[in-house]
mmCIF file of all heavy atoms in Angstrom:
data_model
loop_
_atom_site.group_PDB
_atom_site.id
_atom_site.type_symbol
_atom_site.label_atom_id
_atom_site.label_comp_id
_atom_site.label_asym_id
_atom_site.label_seq_id
_atom_site.Cartn_x
_atom_site.Cartn_y
_atom_site.Cartn_z
ATOM 1 N N SER A 22 153.087 -58.682 39.746
ATOM 2 C CA SER A 22 154.050 -58.056 38.948
ATOM 3 C C SER A 22 153.355 -57.537 37.688
ATOM 4 O O SER A 22 152.206 -57.932 37.256
ATOM 5 C CB SER A 22 155.105 -59.046 38.391
ATOM 6 O OG SER A 22 154.553 -60.076 37.652
ATOM 7 N N ASP A 23 153.902 -56.535 37.009
ATOM 8 C CA ASP A 23 153.472 -56.053 35.793
ATOM 9 C C ASP A 23 153.301 -57.073 34.724
ATOM 10 O O ASP A 23 152.346 -57.120 34.010
ATOM 11 C CB ASP A 23 154.234 -54.826 35.203
ATOM 12 C CG ASP A 23 154.093 -53.665 36.176
ATOM 13 O OD1 ASP A 23 153.075 -53.482 36.959
ATOM 14 O OD2 ASP A 23 155.024 -52.762 36.133
ATOM 15 N N GLU A 24 154.345 -57.918 34.625
ATOM 16 C CA GLU A 24 154.357 -59.055 33.771
ATOM 17 C C GLU A 24 153.191 -59.950 33.936
ATOM 18 O O GLU A 24 152.473 -60.340 32.948
ATOM 19 C CB GLU A 24 155.646 -59.873 33.893
ATOM 20 C CG GLU A 24 155.796 -60.918 32.856
ATOM 21 C CD GLU A 24 157.112 -61.664 33.019
ATOM 22 O OE1 GLU A 24 158.051 -61.087 33.325
ATOM 23 O OE2 GLU A 24 157.059 -62.919 32.805
ATOM 24 N N LEU A 25 152.923 -60.331 35.084
ATOM 25 C CA LEU A 25 151.817 -61.274 35.424
ATOM 26 C C LEU A 25 150.415 -60.562 35.046
ATOM 27 O O LEU A 25 149.498 -61.129 34.546
ATOM 28 C CB LEU A 25 151.719 -61.750 36.785
ATOM 29 C CG LEU A 25 150.682 -62.760 37.145
ATOM 30 C CD1 LEU A 25 150.747 -63.921 36.316
ATOM 31 C CD2 LEU A 25 150.834 -63.164 38.599
ATOM 32 N N HIS A 26 150.399 -59.255 35.390
ATOM 33 C CA HIS A 26 149.192 -58.560 35.045
ATOM 34 C C HIS A 26 148.969 -58.455 33.468
ATOM 35 O O HIS A 26 147.746 -58.591 33.041
ATOM 36 C CB HIS A 26 149.238 -57.101 35.540
ATOM 37 C CG HIS A 26 148.029 -56.326 35.457
ATOM 38 N ND1 HIS A 26 147.696 -55.566 34.402
ATOM 39 C CD2 HIS A 26 146.941 -56.251 36.218
ATOM 40 C CE1 HIS A 26 146.472 -54.997 34.555
ATOM 41 N NE2 HIS A 26 146.019 -55.362 35.721
ATOM 42 N N GLU A 27 149.935 -58.402 32.685
ATOM 43 C CA GLU A 27 149.831 -58.345 31.250
ATOM 44 C C GLU A 27 149.386 -59.701 30.778
ATOM 45 O O GLU A 27 148.628 -59.799 29.860
ATOM 46 C CB GLU A 27 151.143 -57.897 30.588
ATOM 47 C CG GLU A 27 151.344 -56.453 30.686
ATOM 48 C CD GLU A 27 150.173 -55.499 30.207
ATOM 49 O OE1 GLU A 27 149.620 -55.858 29.129
ATOM 50 O OE2 GLU A 27 149.842 -54.551 30.948
ATOM 51 N N GLU A 28 149.946 -60.822 31.362
ATOM 52 C CA GLU A 28 149.542 -62.154 31.024
ATOM 53 C C GLU A 28 147.975 -62.417 31.410
ATOM 54 O O GLU A 28 147.290 -62.965 30.631
ATOM 55 C CB GLU A 28 150.351 -63.213 31.829
ATOM 56 C CG GLU A 28 151.817 -63.302 31.250
ATOM 57 C CD GLU A 28 152.562 -64.330 32.030
ATOM 58 O OE1 GLU A 28 151.983 -65.434 32.315
ATOM 59 O OE2 GLU A 28 153.770 -64.106 32.381
ATOM 60 N N LEU A 29 147.561 -61.811 32.552
ATOM 61 C CA LEU A 29 146.249 -61.855 32.868
ATOM 62 C C LEU A 29 145.348 -61.129 31.799
ATOM 63 O O LEU A 29 144.309 -61.683 31.433
ATOM 64 C CB LEU A 29 145.984 -61.224 34.222
ATOM 65 C CG LEU A 29 146.088 -62.216 35.419
ATOM 66 C CD1 LEU A 29 146.147 -61.236 36.723
ATOM 67 C CD2 LEU A 29 144.954 -63.117 35.529
ATOM 68 N N ARG A 30 145.762 -59.927 31.517
ATOM 69 C CA ARG A 30 145.017 -59.103 30.603
ATOM 70 C C ARG A 30 144.866 -59.827 29.308
ATOM 71 O O ARG A 30 143.762 -59.928 28.629
ATOM 72 C CB ARG A 30 145.673 -57.788 30.306
ATOM 73 C CG ARG A 30 144.954 -56.888 29.496
ATOM 74 C CD ARG A 30 145.638 -55.486 29.298
ATOM 75 N NE ARG A 30 145.811 -54.875 30.530
ATOM 76 C CZ ARG A 30 145.024 -54.132 31.163
ATOM 77 N NH1 ARG A 30 143.722 -54.120 30.805
ATOM 78 N NH2 ARG A 30 145.314 -53.484 32.368
ATOM 79 N N ALA A 31 145.880 -60.502 28.715
ATOM 80 C CA ALA A 31 145.798 -61.205 27.393
ATOM 81 C C ALA A 31 144.929 -62.483 27.532
ATOM 82 O O ALA A 31 144.098 -62.739 26.636
ATOM 83 C CB ALA A 31 147.218 -61.530 26.978
ATOM 84 N N THR A 32 145.100 -63.185 28.609
ATOM 85 C CA THR A 32 144.431 -64.439 28.804
ATOM 86 C C THR A 32 142.920 -64.146 29.003
ATOM 87 O O THR A 32 142.086 -64.943 28.477
ATOM 88 C CB THR A 32 144.973 -65.270 29.992
ATOM 89 O OG1 THR A 32 146.357 -65.405 29.708
ATOM 90 C CG2 THR A 32 144.239 -66.623 30.125
ATOM 91 N N CYS A 33 142.624 -63.154 29.751
ATOM 92 C CA CYS A 33 141.100 -62.897 30.086
ATOM 93 C C CYS A 33 140.378 -62.506 28.838
ATOM 94 O O CYS A 33 139.290 -62.885 28.625
ATOM 95 C CB CYS A 33 140.952 -61.820 31.164
ATOM 96 S SG CYS A 33 141.177 -60.144 30.666
ATOM 97 N N GLN A 34 141.040 -61.926 27.870
ATOM 98 C CA GLN A 34 140.397 -61.575 26.656
ATOM 99 C C GLN A 34 140.117 -62.801 25.770
ATOM 100 O O GLN A 34 139.057 -63.054 25.188
ATOM 101 C CB GLN A 34 141.244 -60.629 25.770
ATOM 102 C CG GLN A 34 141.262 -59.226 26.462
ATOM 103 C CD GLN A 34 142.187 -58.295 25.737
ATOM 104 O OE1 GLN A 34 142.804 -58.643 24.764
ATOM 105 N NE2 GLN A 34 142.215 -57.045 26.168
ATOM 106 N N VAL A 35 141.054 -63.797 25.801
ATOM 107 C CA VAL A 35 140.924 -65.042 24.982
ATOM 108 C C VAL A 35 139.801 -65.871 25.697
ATOM 109 O O VAL A 35 139.073 -66.521 25.060
ATOM 110 C CB VAL A 35 142.256 -65.779 24.947
ATOM 111 C CG1 VAL A 35 142.108 -67.182 24.424
ATOM 112 C CG2 VAL A 35 143.320 -65.039 24.165
ATOM 113 N N MET A 36 139.844 -65.848 27.047
ATOM 114 C CA MET A 36 138.910 -66.767 27.765
ATOM 115 C C MET A 36 137.521 -66.177 28.057
ATOM 116 O O MET A 36 136.683 -66.683 28.725
ATOM 117 C CB MET A 36 139.563 -67.234 29.072
ATOM 118 C CG MET A 36 140.838 -67.903 28.878
ATOM 119 S SD MET A 36 140.694 -69.497 27.905
ATOM 120 C CE MET A 36 139.660 -70.425 28.885
ATOM 121 N N SER A 37 137.291 -64.827 27.684
ATOM 122 C CA SER A 37 136.157 -64.158 27.869
ATOM 123 C C SER A 37 135.804 -63.949 29.287
ATOM 124 O O SER A 37 134.626 -64.222 29.734
ATOM 125 C CB SER A 37 134.995 -64.802 27.062
ATOM 126 O OG SER A 37 135.136 -64.773 25.700
ATOM 127 N N ARG A 38 136.825 -63.658 30.091
ATOM 128 C CA ARG A 38 136.631 -63.355 31.432
ATOM 129 C C ARG A 38 137.168 -61.989 31.828
ATOM 130 O O ARG A 38 137.969 -61.440 31.124
ATOM 131 C CB ARG A 38 137.443 -64.368 32.357
ATOM 132 C CG ARG A 38 137.022 -65.852 32.252
ATOM 133 C CD ARG A 38 137.899 -66.660 33.121
ATOM 134 N NE ARG A 38 137.519 -68.095 33.117
ATOM 135 C CZ ARG A 38 138.162 -69.107 32.808
ATOM 136 N NH1 ARG A 38 139.472 -68.983 32.526
ATOM 137 N NH2 ARG A 38 137.755 -70.391 32.762
ATOM 138 N N SER A 39 136.690 -61.422 32.895
ATOM 139 C CA SER A 39 137.268 -60.250 33.472
ATOM 140 C C SER A 39 138.723 -60.510 33.877
ATOM 141 O O SER A 39 139.023 -61.646 34.215
ATOM 142 C CB SER A 39 136.452 -59.604 34.523
ATOM 143 O OG SER A 39 136.455 -60.429 35.702
ATOM 144 N N ILE A 40 139.446 -59.509 34.194
ATOM 145 C CA ILE A 40 140.787 -59.773 34.721
ATOM 146 C C ILE A 40 140.712 -60.416 36.104
ATOM 147 O O ILE A 40 141.383 -61.330 36.414
ATOM 148 C CB ILE A 40 141.639 -58.377 34.813
ATOM 149 C CG1 ILE A 40 142.050 -57.925 33.405
ATOM 150 C CG2 ILE A 40 142.846 -58.530 35.685
ATOM 151 C CD1 ILE A 40 142.719 -56.618 33.313
ATOM 152 N N ASN A 41 139.737 -59.858 36.953
ATOM 153 C CA ASN A 41 139.563 -60.373 38.216
ATOM 154 C C ASN A 41 139.165 -61.853 38.218
ATOM 155 O O ASN A 41 139.626 -62.713 39.017
ATOM 156 C CB ASN A 41 138.576 -59.556 39.089
ATOM 157 C CG ASN A 41 139.149 -58.263 39.478
ATOM 158 O OD1 ASN A 41 140.382 -58.054 39.454
ATOM 159 N ND2 ASN A 41 138.276 -57.307 39.890
ATOM 160 N N SER A 42 138.169 -62.183 37.313
ATOM 161 C CA SER A 42 137.716 -63.541 37.220
ATOM 162 C C SER A 42 138.842 -64.472 36.682
ATOM 163 O O SER A 42 138.932 -65.634 37.266
ATOM 164 C CB SER A 42 136.540 -63.657 36.145
ATOM 165 O OG SER A 42 135.436 -62.981 36.660
ATOM 166 N N GLN A 43 139.701 -64.054 35.827
ATOM 167 C CA GLN A 43 140.813 -64.855 35.308
ATOM 168 C C GLN A 43 141.792 -65.083 36.521
ATOM 169 O O GLN A 43 142.279 -66.246 36.643
ATOM 170 C CB GLN A 43 141.499 -64.295 34.164
ATOM 171 C CG GLN A 43 142.539 -65.111 33.508
ATOM 172 C CD GLN A 43 142.052 -66.385 32.978
ATOM 173 O OE1 GLN A 43 140.996 -66.423 32.293
ATOM 174 N NE2 GLN A 43 142.691 -67.503 33.268
ATOM 175 N N ALA A 44 142.102 -64.001 37.159
ATOM 176 C CA ALA A 44 142.975 -64.256 38.433
ATOM 177 C C ALA A 44 142.474 -65.176 39.345
ATOM 178 O O ALA A 44 143.137 -66.038 39.945
ATOM 179 C CB ALA A 44 143.237 -62.849 39.040
ATOM 180 N N GLU A 45 141.205 -65.056 39.609
ATOM 181 C CA GLU A 45 140.477 -65.905 40.591
ATOM 182 C C GLU A 45 140.508 -67.386 40.148
ATOM 183 O O GLU A 45 140.843 -68.286 40.923
ATOM 184 C CB GLU A 45 139.057 -65.461 40.832
ATOM 185 C CG GLU A 45 138.320 -66.308 41.913
ATOM 186 C CD GLU A 45 136.925 -65.762 42.223
ATOM 187 O OE1 GLU A 45 136.657 -64.564 42.026
ATOM 188 O OE2 GLU A 45 136.100 -66.618 42.595
ATOM 189 N N PHE A 46 140.268 -67.655 38.856
ATOM 190 C CA PHE A 46 140.446 -68.936 38.249
ATOM 191 C C PHE A 46 141.811 -69.485 38.474
ATOM 192 O O PHE A 46 141.964 -70.652 38.896
ATOM 193 C CB PHE A 46 140.008 -68.957 36.808
ATOM 194 C CG PHE A 46 140.066 -70.295 36.116
ATOM 195 C CD1 PHE A 46 139.198 -71.297 36.400
ATOM 196 C CD2 PHE A 46 141.143 -70.572 35.321
ATOM 197 C CE1 PHE A 46 139.254 -72.537 35.800
ATOM 198 C CE2 PHE A 46 141.303 -71.756 34.681
ATOM 199 C CZ PHE A 46 140.274 -72.682 34.928
ATOM 200 N N TRP A 47 142.829 -68.726 38.124
ATOM 201 C CA TRP A 47 144.206 -69.203 38.238
ATOM 202 C C TRP A 47 144.576 -69.506 39.768
ATOM 203 O O TRP A 47 145.220 -70.529 40.024
ATOM 204 C CB TRP A 47 145.195 -68.249 37.692
ATOM 205 C CG TRP A 47 145.364 -68.228 36.159
ATOM 206 C CD1 TRP A 47 144.764 -69.106 35.342
ATOM 207 C CD2 TRP A 47 146.067 -67.320 35.398
ATOM 208 N NE1 TRP A 47 145.071 -68.755 34.035
ATOM 209 C CE2 TRP A 47 145.873 -67.710 34.071
ATOM 210 C CE3 TRP A 47 146.882 -66.192 35.738
ATOM 211 C CZ2 TRP A 47 146.518 -67.034 33.064
ATOM 212 C CZ3 TRP A 47 147.427 -65.504 34.624
ATOM 213 C CH2 TRP A 47 147.310 -65.971 33.311
ATOM 214 N N ILE A 48 144.134 -68.667 40.604
ATOM 215 C CA ILE A 48 144.351 -68.892 42.044
ATOM 216 C C ILE A 48 143.655 -70.131 42.533
ATOM 217 O O ILE A 48 144.253 -71.048 43.256
ATOM 218 C CB ILE A 48 143.900 -67.618 42.917
ATOM 219 C CG1 ILE A 48 144.846 -66.467 42.619
ATOM 220 C CG2 ILE A 48 143.888 -68.055 44.310
ATOM 221 C CD1 ILE A 48 144.289 -65.113 43.096
ATOM 222 N N LYS A 49 142.390 -70.342 42.138
ATOM 223 C CA LYS A 49 141.691 -71.510 42.570
ATOM 224 C C LYS A 49 142.272 -72.725 42.023
ATOM 225 O O LYS A 49 142.474 -73.696 42.751
ATOM 226 C CB LYS A 49 140.217 -71.383 42.113
ATOM 227 C CG LYS A 49 139.316 -72.505 42.539
ATOM 228 C CD LYS A 49 137.804 -72.317 42.116
ATOM 229 C CE LYS A 49 137.042 -73.352 42.633
ATOM 230 N NZ LYS A 49 135.669 -73.191 42.357
ATOM 231 N N MET A 50 142.629 -72.750 40.776
ATOM 232 C CA MET A 50 143.231 -73.950 40.145
ATOM 233 C C MET A 50 144.590 -74.260 40.682
ATOM 234 O O MET A 50 144.926 -75.433 40.932
ATOM 235 C CB MET A 50 143.248 -73.818 38.660
ATOM 236 C CG MET A 50 141.880 -73.814 37.975
ATOM 237 S SD MET A 50 140.735 -75.089 38.444
ATOM 238 C CE MET A 50 141.594 -76.570 37.947
ATOM 239 N N GLY A 51 145.357 -73.269 41.074
ATOM 240 C CA GLY A 51 146.675 -73.472 41.614
ATOM 241 C C GLY A 51 146.488 -74.094 43.006
ATOM 242 O O GLY A 51 147.292 -74.914 43.431
ATOM 243 N N ARG A 52 145.591 -73.558 43.730
ATOM 244 C CA ARG A 52 145.337 -74.123 45.082
ATOM 245 C C ARG A 52 144.853 -75.552 45.028
ATOM 246 O O ARG A 52 145.327 -76.381 45.766
ATOM 247 C CB ARG A 52 144.199 -73.225 45.797
ATOM 248 C CG ARG A 52 143.977 -73.698 47.238
ATOM 249 C CD ARG A 52 142.902 -72.788 47.891
ATOM 250 N NE ARG A 52 142.610 -73.160 49.219
ATOM 251 C CZ ARG A 52 141.608 -74.078 49.461
ATOM 252 N NH1 ARG A 52 140.907 -74.582 48.563
ATOM 253 N NH2 ARG A 52 141.395 -74.398 50.710
ATOM 254 N N LEU A 53 143.963 -75.832 44.154
ATOM 255 C CA LEU A 53 143.485 -77.177 43.933
ATOM 256 C C LEU A 53 144.635 -78.148 43.485
ATOM 257 O O LEU A 53 144.783 -79.352 44.036
ATOM 258 C CB LEU A 53 142.397 -77.361 42.945
ATOM 259 C CG LEU A 53 140.981 -76.697 43.380
ATOM 260 C CD1 LEU A 53 139.968 -76.734 42.172
ATOM 261 C CD2 LEU A 53 140.438 -77.554 44.455
ATOM 262 N N ALA A 54 145.504 -77.658 42.681
ATOM 263 C CA ALA A 54 146.679 -78.434 42.155
ATOM 264 C C ALA A 54 147.584 -78.717 43.362
ATOM 265 O O ALA A 54 148.158 -79.793 43.484
ATOM 266 C CB ALA A 54 147.395 -77.688 41.048
ATOM 267 N N GLU A 55 147.880 -77.727 44.322
ATOM 268 C CA GLU A 55 148.674 -77.998 45.366
ATOM 269 C C GLU A 55 148.059 -78.968 46.336
ATOM 270 O O GLU A 55 148.844 -79.747 46.952
ATOM 271 C CB GLU A 55 148.983 -76.602 46.141
ATOM 272 C CG GLU A 55 150.027 -75.787 45.375
ATOM 273 C CD GLU A 55 150.408 -74.592 46.179
ATOM 274 O OE1 GLU A 55 149.738 -74.234 47.182
ATOM 275 O OE2 GLU A 55 151.416 -73.892 45.759
ATOM 276 N N LEU A 56 146.762 -78.924 46.576
ATOM 277 C CA LEU A 56 146.114 -79.869 47.408
ATOM 278 C C LEU A 56 145.862 -81.226 46.897
ATOM 279 O O LEU A 56 145.722 -82.160 47.646
ATOM 280 C CB LEU A 56 144.659 -79.273 47.820
ATOM 281 C CG LEU A 56 144.694 -77.956 48.681
ATOM 282 C CD1 LEU A 56 143.273 -77.445 48.818
ATOM 283 C CD2 LEU A 56 145.271 -78.168 50.009
ATOM 284 N N ASN A 57 146.000 -81.287 45.542
ATOM 285 C CA ASN A 57 145.773 -82.586 44.848
ATOM 286 C C ASN A 57 146.947 -82.855 43.895
ATOM 287 O O ASN A 57 146.697 -82.913 42.616
ATOM 288 C CB ASN A 57 144.406 -82.632 44.158
ATOM 289 C CG ASN A 57 143.310 -82.391 45.176
ATOM 290 O OD1 ASN A 57 142.809 -83.312 45.809
ATOM 291 N ND2 ASN A 57 142.779 -81.189 45.205
ATOM 292 N N PRO A 58 148.081 -82.993 44.251
ATOM 293 C CA PRO A 58 149.268 -83.176 43.392
ATOM 294 C C PRO A 58 149.197 -84.343 42.457
ATOM 295 O O PRO A 58 149.816 -84.364 41.356
ATOM 296 C CB PRO A 58 150.460 -83.216 44.257
ATOM 297 C CG PRO A 58 150.029 -83.676 45.524
ATOM 298 C CD PRO A 58 148.553 -83.161 45.634
ATOM 299 N N ASP A 59 148.341 -85.285 42.737
ATOM 300 C CA ASP A 59 148.222 -86.504 41.994
ATOM 301 C C ASP A 59 147.197 -86.412 40.789
ATOM 302 O O ASP A 59 147.061 -87.204 40.004
ATOM 303 C CB ASP A 59 147.812 -87.779 42.827
ATOM 304 C CG ASP A 59 146.501 -87.524 43.575
ATOM 305 O OD1 ASP A 59 146.274 -86.303 44.031
ATOM 306 O OD2 ASP A 59 145.745 -88.415 43.751
ATOM 307 N N LYS A 60 146.494 -85.278 40.758
ATOM 308 C CA LYS A 60 145.445 -85.177 39.762
ATOM 309 C C LYS A 60 145.950 -84.195 38.614
ATOM 310 O O LYS A 60 146.669 -83.236 38.896
ATOM 311 C CB LYS A 60 144.171 -84.520 40.390
ATOM 312 C CG LYS A 60 143.522 -85.492 41.404
ATOM 313 C CD LYS A 60 142.136 -84.937 41.656
ATOM 314 C CE LYS A 60 141.252 -85.795 42.618
ATOM 315 N NZ LYS A 60 141.620 -87.093 42.785
ATOM 316 N N THR A 61 145.423 -84.517 37.370
ATOM 317 C CA THR A 61 145.718 -83.622 36.278
ATOM 318 C C THR A 61 144.747 -82.406 36.266
ATOM 319 O O THR A 61 143.767 -82.395 36.987
ATOM 320 C CB THR A 61 145.522 -84.386 34.939
ATOM 321 O OG1 THR A 61 144.142 -84.707 34.844
ATOM 322 C CG2 THR A 61 146.392 -85.689 34.934
ATOM 323 N N PHE A 62 145.020 -81.453 35.416
ATOM 324 C CA PHE A 62 144.195 -80.293 35.304
ATOM 325 C C PHE A 62 142.798 -80.794 34.939
ATOM 326 O O PHE A 62 141.829 -80.271 35.528
ATOM 327 C CB PHE A 62 144.706 -79.359 34.177
ATOM 328 C CG PHE A 62 143.815 -78.160 33.935
ATOM 329 C CD1 PHE A 62 143.822 -77.095 34.748
ATOM 330 C CD2 PHE A 62 143.141 -78.142 32.834
ATOM 331 C CE1 PHE A 62 142.960 -76.033 34.566
ATOM 332 C CE2 PHE A 62 142.237 -77.088 32.501
ATOM 333 C CZ PHE A 62 142.159 -75.976 33.357
ATOM 334 N N THR A 63 142.671 -81.734 33.964
ATOM 335 C CA THR A 63 141.386 -82.204 33.579
ATOM 336 C C THR A 63 140.574 -82.758 34.675
ATOM 337 O O THR A 63 139.425 -82.648 34.804
ATOM 338 C CB THR A 63 141.595 -83.179 32.289
ATOM 339 O OG1 THR A 63 142.174 -82.567 31.321
ATOM 340 C CG2 THR A 63 140.215 -83.743 31.848
ATOM 341 N N GLN A 64 141.313 -83.628 35.500
ATOM 342 C CA GLN A 64 140.687 -84.252 36.532
ATOM 343 C C GLN A 64 140.245 -83.179 37.630
ATOM 344 O O GLN A 64 139.152 -83.386 38.183
ATOM 345 C CB GLN A 64 141.638 -85.204 37.317
ATOM 346 C CG GLN A 64 141.937 -86.452 36.444
ATOM 347 C CD GLN A 64 143.015 -87.327 37.041
ATOM 348 O OE1 GLN A 64 144.005 -86.778 37.548
ATOM 349 N NE2 GLN A 64 142.901 -88.655 36.909
ATOM 350 N N LEU A 65 140.911 -82.160 37.867
ATOM 351 C CA LEU A 65 140.489 -81.096 38.729
ATOM 352 C C LEU A 65 139.263 -80.497 38.288
ATOM 353 O O LEU A 65 138.315 -80.166 38.962
ATOM 354 C CB LEU A 65 141.630 -80.086 39.018
ATOM 355 C CG LEU A 65 142.861 -80.614 39.663
ATOM 356 C CD1 LEU A 65 143.990 -79.515 39.630
ATOM 357 C CD2 LEU A 65 142.515 -80.970 41.214
#
């Protein structure tokens, strides 16, 4: 969505990542969270 793309754009600037790198990070962390529901973000 355009809304998610704007969130990516804002976040990637803060995190010093490209838009693609930020999206990849979010996808990877979301996948890990789904596979490991008992773990916190820090533990992941």
Side-chain angles (χ1 to χ4, degrees):
S22 68
D23 290 340
E24 181 181 323
L25 184 55
H26 189 268
E27 287 306 314
E28 288 180 40
L29 271 169
R30 185 178 301 282
T32 304
C33 76
Q34 291 175 359
V35 172
M36 301 303 292
S37 298
R38 295 181 176 124
S39 69
I40 290 176
N41 287 342
S42 292
Q43 185 63 46
E45 186 176 330
F46 177 75
W47 281 354
I48 290 167
K49 182 176 186 176
M50 294 311 298
R52 182 175 177 274
L53 288 172
E55 285 186 348
L56 293 172
N57 301 281
D59 58 321
K60 294 195 181 333
T61 64
F62 176 78
T63 301
Q64 290 170 325
L65 292 172

